[in-house]
Amino acid sequence: MVEFFVQGGYAFFVWGAYGVTALLLVAEVIQLRAQRRALFVRLNRLNRTRELDKNQ
Amino acid sequence: MNVNWFKFASPPAFYSLAGRLIPIFWGLTLTLLVIGLYWGFFQTTDQLGGSNPQKEYYRIIFIHVSSAWMSMWLYFVMVVWAAIGLVFNTRLSFMMAKAIAPTGAVFTFLALWTGAFWGRPSWGTYWDWDPRLTSELVLFFMYIGYIALHSAIDDIRRADRASALLAIVGLVMVPVIFWSINCPDPNQCAALHQRSNLTKIDGNILFAMLTMSLAFWMYSFAATFMRLRSLILTREAESIWVRELLTQRGEQ
Amino acid sequence: MKARQKRLVFIGLAIIGIGAASTLAITALNSNISYFFSPSQVLANEAPPNHVFRLGGLVTKGSLIRESDSLKIHFDVTDNAKTVKVIYTGILPDLFSEGKGVVTKGKLGADGVFYAEEVLAKHDEEYVPPEVASTLKTAHAEGVTNTATTSNGASN
């Protein structure tokens, strides 16, 4: 197990490459989900104001 | 077999199709990632031998080559959609191109980053102005330029067309990178970066590398479709189908 | 001509233009202007004098000498036609070894010795476990040699 993390003494390079890759891909997905959630909040608000306009 | 493919070229139809495909692509991405990483770390040799006796750091190859392939492939696909948009003036094509760019930029950055972390222990440097490294850096700037140009123009239709043209012009970089890495003749390739030759790779290493590439490809589909769906909703916010969609979601 | 056809022609022309530009760029890379110079080119005075440039080739077998009291290292770089002596002070990369490809950056001294400030190891595209390696032949060394001899031939 320790051997796996040490990677023959090249842990910094191996995990430096893999870590940043994982970080960026996960960050992209989180950003996409947040973008979608924010978009629905905005669109729903837009829809409600439209309904109100119609009723007046 | 009489499928009307043009049906899916309309934003609402593609919105729902992409919604159904995204979970499938996520499932494929995760499965391939698990297989690829397991194979890459546990079914391969710790150290290489022969004419290229690298140590454990060679394992960066599994994400480096995959990222580099995706960086070029996604740019190519982006340009194809941009060109279709310019010729046929289809709304969805431009949105496809715009949705691909950030993911392409991420993979280009990763190809450079993982390359630096591989280059330091093997060549002895994080970076060198080698023709292959330099052209990949230029590709990164092409993606950034496309995204920046699009966001700099307020009128969406103009932004779509201008950035599509920029993307097409930048296509010149893809054959240059591809050629410089797959250089057919060693006599003409003075470079630090090695060439690409899949026939000289051990089966287990090759399997992990190809599996990771497929995983990144499936990831690109999932991420691009997610971005595309948000883009469709943003641009079609005033349309009846989006309003109906919101009402349906509200009732659930 | 309809608008769509006009656009199609326009895109077609753009793609032809890009093809031409790619070809030009590849041709430029083809002549590999100056990523590195081979020992033959250096001895033929093709490398810029009093300027930092890169010297590339193979480390001559048996030429590596480490000074015992310092980090100073001597080795020869060859293209199997001509040889240049190199002096470098510092730590060599992991993959640096005799008979393998190397790219060094530095200046050519008046004494004909190349004073390197950076030494990079080139490696090939063979990725195999140690036990299989012996059965495969390496074309890398040939590649580097060919690079040198071709450019040498072109300059003659």
Side-chain angles (χ1 to χ4, degrees):
Chain A
M1 197 62 187
V2 175
E3 226 173 87
F4 171 74
F5 286 108
V6 172
Q7 287 294 320
Y10 293 97
F12 172 74
F13 299 105
V14 175
W15 302 128
Y18 275 85
V20 169
T21 304
L23 202 78
L24 265 186
L25 296 187
V26 170
E28 189 184 5
V29 177
I30 291 175
Q31 186 268 332
L32 285 169
R33 291 179 67 109
Q35 180 190 44
R36 184 172 163 79
R37 227 173 291 128
L39 180 65
F40 271 110
V41 171
R42 196 167 64 83
L43 288 180
N44 279 322
R45 201 184 298 134
L46 199 74
N47 227 17
R48 273 199 299 278
T49 45
R50 257 196 227 116
E51 297 287 318
L52 284 175
D53 288 347
K54 232 187 286 171
N55 295 341
Q56 275 167 4
Chain B
M1 287 303 286
N2 203 355
V3 186
N4 183 7
W5 293 105
F6 288 101
K7 195 182 86 183
F8 293 113
S10 88
F14 197 83
Y15 180 88
S16 70
L17 175 71
R20 270 174 283 142
L21 291 177
I22 286 169
I24 300 173
F25 284 124
W26 279 131
L28 286 170
T29 305
L30 290 179
T31 315
L32 289 165
L33 272 183
V34 169
I35 299 172
L37 288 172
Y38 167 75
W39 217 269
F41 278 97
F42 298 105
Q43 295 296 318
T44 53
T45 167
D46 280 340
Q47 305 197 348
L48 300 178
S51 60
N52 185 17
Q54 297 198 25
K55 308 282 166 42
E56 281 82 348
Y57 51 77
Y58 86 86
R59 289 203 165 110
I60 296 171
I61 195 175
F62 305 126
I63 43 176
H64 174 71
V65 172
S66 325
S67 306
W69 277 346
M70 289 320 299
S71 71
M72 288 182 275
W73 172 244
L74 289 178
Y75 196 90
F76 177 72
V77 177
M78 183 175 96
V79 168
V80 167
W81 284 118
I84 292 176
L86 280 178
V87 174
F88 299 103
N89 232 336
T90 38
R91 288 178 290 168
L92 195 63
S93 316
F94 285 124
M95 290 193 237
M96 290 264 201
K98 185 170 158 36
I100 290 171
T103 303
V106 164
F107 279 120
T108 314
F109 177 83
L110 286 176
L112 291 165
W113 180 274
T114 56
F117 271 61
W118 190 9
R120 183 73 186 91
S122 59
W123 298 331
T125 185
Y126 284 106
W127 177 259
D128 196 51
W129 294 100
D130 159 284
R132 295 149 202 207
L133 276 61
T134 310
S135 51
E136 184 75 13
L137 184 67
V138 173
L139 184 69
F140 180 65
F141 291 138
M142 291 310 309
Y143 276 118
I144 299 298
Y146 174 90
I147 296 168
L149 182 64
H150 203 290
S151 60
I153 303 174
D154 286 329
D155 182 70
I156 288 177
R157 292 172 61 82
R158 280 172 158 273
D160 275 344
R161 284 206 298 261
S163 50
L165 275 178
L166 180 70
I168 293 174
V169 171
L171 187 65
V172 71
M173 282 322 294
V174 175
V176 171
I177 303 174
F178 187 83
W179 178 87
S180 64
I181 302 281
N182 294 276
C183 179
D185 181 357
N187 296 338
Q188 302 179 333
C189 305
L192 178 63
H193 196 293
Q194 63 280 11
R195 288 180 295 153
S196 156
N197 184 349
L198 298 185
T199 60
K200 283 161 85 182
I201 301 179
D202 166 66
N204 284 321
I205 298 175
L206 188 63
F207 177 76
M209 196 171 101
L210 295 178
T211 310
M212 289 301 285
S213 303
L214 267 182
F216 281 7
W217 195 12
M218 295 301 114
Y219 171 92
S220 307
F221 268 111
T224 304
F225 280 0
M226 281 174 82
R227 194 174 290 110
L228 185 62
R229 267 161 62 94
S230 292
L231 204 58
I232 291 175
L233 286 184
T234 313
R235 291 197 181 182
E236 308 256 311
E238 302 297 327
S239 68
I240 298 165
W241 75 269
V242 173
R243 280 190 229 177
E244 281 171 355
L245 184 93
L246 289 173
T247 331
Q248 275 170 15
R249 270 177 65 100
E251 283 161 5
Q252 275 167 11
Chain C
M1 216 173 4
K2 278 198 294 187
R4 178 181 294 178
Q5 285 169 321
K6 258 186 200 164
R7 286 197 298 269
L8 204 57
V9 168
F10 176 72
I11 300 288
L13 286 176
I15 286 172
I16 292 169
I18 285 156
S22 309
T23 316
L24 280 176
I26 288 170
T27 321
L29 284 177
N30 236 335
S31 57
N32 62 56
I33 311 155
S34 69
Y35 176 69
F36 63 62
F37 292 90
S38 69
S40 299
Q41 285 173 307
V42 171
L43 292 178
N45 292 323
E46 282 175 34
N50 308 319
H51 237 283
V52 173
F53 67 92
R54 293 189 190 83
L55 166 73
L58 299 171
V59 182
T60 309
K61 280 192 176 138
S63 71
L64 184 66
I65 303 161
R66 292 168 200 269
E67 284 188 9
S68 50
D69 53 342
S70 69
L71 279 171
K72 214 179 215 180
I73 296 151
H74 302 253
F75 61 89
D76 295 354
V77 170
T78 179
D79 52 11
N80 290 354
K82 299 280 167 57
T83 301
V84 172
K85 284 195 179 305
V86 178
I87 293 179
Y88 171 66
T89 308
I91 296 158
L92 291 170
D94 195 42
L95 289 178
F96 179 94
S97 71
E98 294 182 347
K100 293 290 162 59
V102 72
V103 176
T104 75
K105 204 162 90 184
K107 274 186 183 174
L108 192 66
D111 50 358
V113 175
F114 189 78
Y115 292 90
E117 47 193 59
E118 190 180 35
V119 173
L120 303 178
K122 249 173 87 78
H123 67 80
D124 64 11
E125 59 278 9
E126 180 181 295
Y127 303 96
V128 289
E131 60 271 22
V132 204
S134 52
T135 62
L136 281 170
K137 268 210 152 181
T138 165
H140 175 66
E142 295 160 30
V144 173
T145 317
N146 288 348
T147 309
T149 39
T150 309
S151 44
N152 189 28
S155 65
N156 287 341

